[in-house]
């Protein structure tokens, strides 16, 4: 077994040069794109390439960079998300699922005594009672207080002692196109089945006057607001609210 090792100055210089080349290639092809994605690449790529740092010196610097940039991203406040979360926590408790007359839909409590605003497509066009359920899965019986067929609105009264969480009515006449709007309700049974009020965000994208209904069963004629917020199955009778949580539409 003939193994010889003859270290000399020339070989040591060659190894050092090879290590520097590997370090530069690895830094350029793998590490710099990562640094660029974190927003710190332009500065440190110049320093690393020009100084020709060895891998032993690069690694501690990279760890420091990632820890520092990570802490910056973690501390950056997400104002929009915080506002949406706060709004959801405010309005969701006042939204209910409604079942009556063989139909299902949604509704919103508009008075602490338990008065609910909904539509006939949620509780039937001639029923005198309905079942309502809140997000905490508490279910109550409700009686029909009255109907306004021309507006396709129904008022229900929960037959139990309040107070109940409720939302204030806004002024739909002051709604402007482009303002933020949120739809809430029992989307595909999310509330009645899972206890989760669905909320979707969009804008008020249109304002129209209905003078003739193509659907013969529809009775409403008047001003309607169009929104890009998702309105899904079982959300009939659910509220559309503004960024303050006031009801601007049904």
């Amino acid at each position: 077994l003939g193994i010889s090792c003859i270290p000399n100055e020339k070989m040591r210089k060659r190894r050092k040069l090879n290590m520097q080349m590997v370090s530069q290639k690895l830094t350029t092809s793998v590490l710099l794109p990562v640094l660029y994605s974190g927003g710190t690449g332009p500065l440190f790529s110049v320093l690393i390439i020009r100084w020709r740092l060895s891998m032993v010196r690069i690694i501690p610097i990279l760890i420091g960079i990632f820890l520092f940039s990570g802490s910056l991203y973690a501390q950056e406040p997400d104002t929009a998300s915080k506002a949406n979360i706060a709004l959801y926590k405010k309005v969701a408790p006042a939204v209910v699922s409604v079942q009556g007359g063989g139909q299902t839909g949604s509704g919103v409590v508009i008075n602490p005594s338990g008065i609910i605003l909904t539509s006939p497509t949620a509780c039937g066009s001639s029923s005198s009672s309905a079942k309502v359920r809140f997000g905490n899965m508490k279910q109550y019986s409700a009686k029909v207080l009255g109907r306004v067929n021309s507006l396709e609105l129904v008022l229900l009264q929960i037959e139990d002692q309040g107070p109940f969480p409720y939302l204030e009515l806004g002024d739909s006449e002051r709604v402007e196109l482009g303002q933020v709007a949120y739809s809430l309700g029992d989307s595909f049974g999310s509330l009645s089945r899972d206890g989760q009020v669905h909320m979707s965000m969009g804008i008020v994208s249109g304002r129209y006057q209905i003078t003739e209904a193509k659907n013969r069963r529809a009775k409403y004629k008047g001003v309607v607001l169009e929104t890009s917020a998702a309105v899904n199955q079982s959300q009939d009778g659910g509220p559309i609210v503004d960024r303050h949580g006031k009801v601007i539409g049904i």
Side-chain angles (χ1 to χ4, degrees):
L1 184 63
I3 300 177
S4 64
C5 181
I6 308 175
N8 56 58
E9 188 67 23
K10 188 174 183 180
M11 290 179 65
R12 282 195 292 268
K13 290 182 178 180
R14 183 176 297 175
R15 289 196 191 100
K16 185 176 181 180
L17 180 60
N18 289 338
M19 286 297 295
Q20 288 179 344
M21 292 177 64
V22 171
S23 174
Q24 288 183 23
K25 289 180 179 179
L26 181 61
T27 303
T28 305
S29 61
V30 178
L31 301 177
L32 290 185
V34 176
L35 289 173
Y36 267 100
S37 66
T40 56
L43 171 61
F44 286 97
S45 61
V46 174
L47 295 178
I48 291 171
I49 292 175
R50 293 192 61 178
W51 290 351
R52 298 185 178 182
L53 298 175
S54 66
M55 287 301 296
V56 177
R57 297 174 63 186
I58 290 175
I59 291 174
I61 293 178
L62 291 178
I63 294 174
I65 291 170
F66 288 128
L67 290 177
F68 178 71
S69 61
S71 64
L72 287 179
Y73 288 126
Q75 294 172 8
E76 183 180 354
D78 188 343
T79 306
S81 292
K82 287 183 178 180
N84 291 334
I85 293 170
L87 179 67
Y88 181 83
K89 290 180 178 180
K90 175 182 178 181
V91 300
V95 179
V96 297
S97 66
V98 180
Q99 295 181 338
Q103 294 180 277
T104 60
S106 305
V108 56
V109 182
I110 59 172
N111 187 278
S113 65
I115 296 177
I116 296 172
L117 182 62
T118 184
S119 73
T121 51
C123 62
S125 57
S126 59
S127 60
S128 59
S129 63
K131 295 288 185 182
V132 299
R133 177 175 290 182
F134 288 84
N136 58 10
M137 300 303 286
K138 289 186 177 180
Q139 181 170 294
Y140 301 92
S141 297
K143 63 181 180 181
V144 175
L145 282 182
R147 300 174 182 271
V148 183
N149 291 330
S150 60
L151 297 178
E152 295 192 19
L153 294 178
V154 178
L155 283 180
L156 302 175
Q157 173 67 64
I158 296 177
E159 296 182 305
D160 208 316
Q161 191 71 26
F164 296 95
Y166 71 100
L167 298 184
E168 296 180 4
L169 297 180
D171 187 353
S172 56
E173 293 295 328
R174 300 179 63 181
V175 171
E176 297 186 13
L177 298 186
Q179 78 171 60
V180 176
Y182 302 82
S183 66
L184 297 105
D186 185 23
S187 176
F188 296 107
S190 63
L191 198 166
S192 55
R193 184 182 62 249
D194 302 318
Q196 179 175 290
V197 175
H198 167 87
M199 184 173 83
S200 178
M201 182 178 71
I203 63 169
V204 176
S205 52
R207 185 184 182 91
Y208 307 103
Q209 180 81 27
I210 292 182
T211 56
E212 181 180 357
K214 294 183 179 180
N215 187 332
R216 293 182 179 179
R217 293 181 300 174
K219 298 180 174 62
Y220 178 79
K221 294 180 181 180
V223 176
V224 294
L225 298 177
E226 177 187 80
T227 178
S228 61
V231 179
N232 300 316
Q233 181 177 321
S234 297
Q235 281 189 249
D236 291 24
I240 304 294
V241 303
D242 61 17
R243 65 186 181 90
H244 303 293
K246 292 189 176 183
V247 180
I248 57 174
I250 293 292

